[in-house]
Each structure stands twice: as C-alpha cells, then as structure tokens.
Amino acid sequence: MGILDEFEKGLERVVNGAFAKTFKSGLQPLEVTATLRRELDTKAAVVARDRILAPNRFTVRLSPSDHERMTGLGPALLDEFTQLVQQHATAQGYSFAGGIDIRLERDERLSAGVVRIDSENVKGAVVWAPVLDIAGKRYTLKKGRTVIGRGSDADITIDDTGTSRRHVEILWDGARGQVTDLGSTNGSKLNGAPVTKSVLQPDSVIEIGRTRIVFRVLAQASELASPDGGSAR
C-alpha cells in the first residue's frame, strides 16, 4: 500500500463518526493534503549534493466556512496533515530546517472550496511527538509509562472483552518507544508476531484482543509540544 493510500485511510478515520456529515460537501481534507504535497515539491530546493531542503512551516488559508469545518475536528486533523508532510518528505528525500508546523487560518477573501498555502523554512528544534491511534481516536503519549487495558485503572481504557484489565504498557523515554505485555490472559502481538517486550518502531501495530493500536511518531516544531511530550488524553 502506498503513502497516499495510507493517508487516505488515516483521514477517513479522522472524519468518521460525528464528523462524517461535516465533509459530505465543500472542501475535503484530501484536497488539502494534495496541496501540501504540491507545496513541498514546488518549494524543495537542492542546497548540497546530498541535501534537498523543503519548507517546514505551512499556513493553510481557508474560506470562513471551510475553516470552521476543518478546525472543528481539533488537533487530530493537524496531526494527520503533519504526518503526511513528514512521510512525503521522507519518500522524496527532503530534509527540514526544523520541526513541522501547520496552521489553519481563516481568510475572508477566499471562496468555499478554495485553499491557499504559504510556506517557509524556519530553523528550530524538532520535538518528536509520540501518539497512539486506537479505534478511531488519537492519544498523545506522555513521557514515562502508559498502561492500556479494559480496567478503569488503566491510563487508556478500551472497550474490548478480549483484553485484560491492564494488558500492555507503552514506555516513552523522550526518544524511543517500548511495548511490554503485562502478563495478559490472551497475550499481545506486534506487527503480527507474539510479543512480550520489544522496542517500538514508528508505525508499529500492536494487537490486543480485537483492538488494533498504531504507534506513530510525529516531528513537530518545539513550540507546538509541551516539554514532556504531552499527555495521554
């Protein structure tokens, strides 16, 4: 499955449920992703024999009605856009001067369905923001340990009778992720294979019971993330 296919699936997940009716008409999130990709490709510049520099700060200008619908999805949609930029840059061999910063701005001059993007290279520190995608929801991991299970004492509670009350633990040390099965009844899988304890690579898939958990790491500008990497929500 290609990068575009993966992001189509991700965006479909974000606009499911309560937001499904919101995007039946008007500007679609996939149209914004296509514009972001074009902006990256157009503005990418060769600065050395082995380095192609691409913009890392994007201002997405939208009509008032499109802006209201897009921002109504909250941070999940911006996370998807950030991941698109990150993975498209990796596939094309682009590099950034700093973390990725995407902002949605209301522009009274634009008609519904029209999107304009301004971009620039902004030097700065990159903060790696770890997230978990579980059953259509996105959780930002805090630095330290996060327990997932069906029990009310878990940090992330899931509605799955096939899981234990405290099923797995995700450890984030600020740079790397690790998954540990907490002696669950039915066990856990990582990328299809049984796992007891293992380092997590970006885009790893953890399976517990009938629940699929995707571990992702997003590159963000330092001012967009809290010092401890955020917190599970």
Side-chain angles (χ1 to χ4, degrees):
M1 180 173 290
I3 289 176
L4 179 57
D5 294 331
E6 289 286 351
F7 278 97
E8 286 180 345
K9 287 181 64 178
L11 286 168
E12 285 172 359
R13 181 186 64 249
V14 169
V15 300
N16 270 341
F19 298 105
K21 293 181 180 179
T22 303
F23 288 101
K24 282 188 175 180
S25 61
L27 184 69
Q28 301 295 308
L30 283 174
E31 294 177 72
V32 177
T33 65
T35 308
L36 283 167
R37 286 197 306 274
R38 285 197 299 271
E39 186 71 12
L40 277 170
D41 294 338
T42 301
K43 297 291 182 64
V46 178
V47 295
R49 184 174 61 181
D50 57 352
R51 190 180 187 208
I52 304 174
L53 189 64
N56 61 308
R57 175 172 289 176
F58 303 86
T59 301
V60 181
R61 303 189 185 281
L62 305 166
S63 71
S65 60
D66 289 330
H67 181 267
E68 182 178 358
R69 290 185 304 119
M70 294 283 180
T71 54
L73 286 175
L77 188 61
L78 284 179
D79 286 347
E80 292 294 336
F81 289 157
T82 298
Q83 190 181 352
L84 162 72
V85 169
Q86 180 180 320
Q87 291 198 8
H88 184 68
T90 299
Q92 299 300 319
Y94 302 154
S95 59
F96 299 116
I100 299 169
D101 180 358
I102 301 176
R103 307 176 186 193
L104 305 181
E105 287 198 3
R106 178 188 180 105
D107 192 328
E108 302 286 347
R109 299 168 297 178
L110 296 181
S111 302
V114 176
V115 57
R116 296 283 184 267
I117 294 181
D118 298 328
S119 64
E120 58 184 328
N121 293 306
V122 179
K123 189 174 182 179
V126 176
V127 171
W128 297 100
V131 300
L132 299 176
D133 287 338
I134 308 174
K137 295 183 180 180
R138 174 159 287 179
Y139 302 85
T140 302
L141 289 175
K142 63 183 179 180
K143 189 174 181 180
R145 304 176 190 279
T146 300
V147 174
I148 305 171
R150 62 181 174 84
S152 59
D153 57 339
D155 298 303
I156 300 176
T157 302
I158 57 176
D159 183 15
D160 185 342
T161 56
T163 63
S164 298
R165 295 183 61 82
R166 293 169 62 87
H167 197 111
V168 292
E169 173 189 88
I170 307 297
L171 173 65
W172 175 255
D173 66 4
R176 290 171 298 276
Q178 176 181 283
V179 61
T180 302
D181 184 276
L182 298 176
S184 65
T185 301
N186 295 325
S188 305
K189 291 183 179 180
L190 177 62
N191 298 324
V195 64
T196 300
K197 184 176 182 178
S198 178
V199 171
L200 284 173
Q201 299 297 330
D203 299 320
S204 294
V205 178
I206 305 162
E207 294 175 81
I208 59 174
R210 299 182 301 277
T211 301
R212 186 173 183 268
I213 302 167
V214 182
F215 171 77
R216 306 185 191 279
V217 182
L218 306 179
Q220 297 183 337
S222 58
E223 66 270 20
L224 297 182
S226 59
D228 66 356
S231 58
R233 62 181 188 268

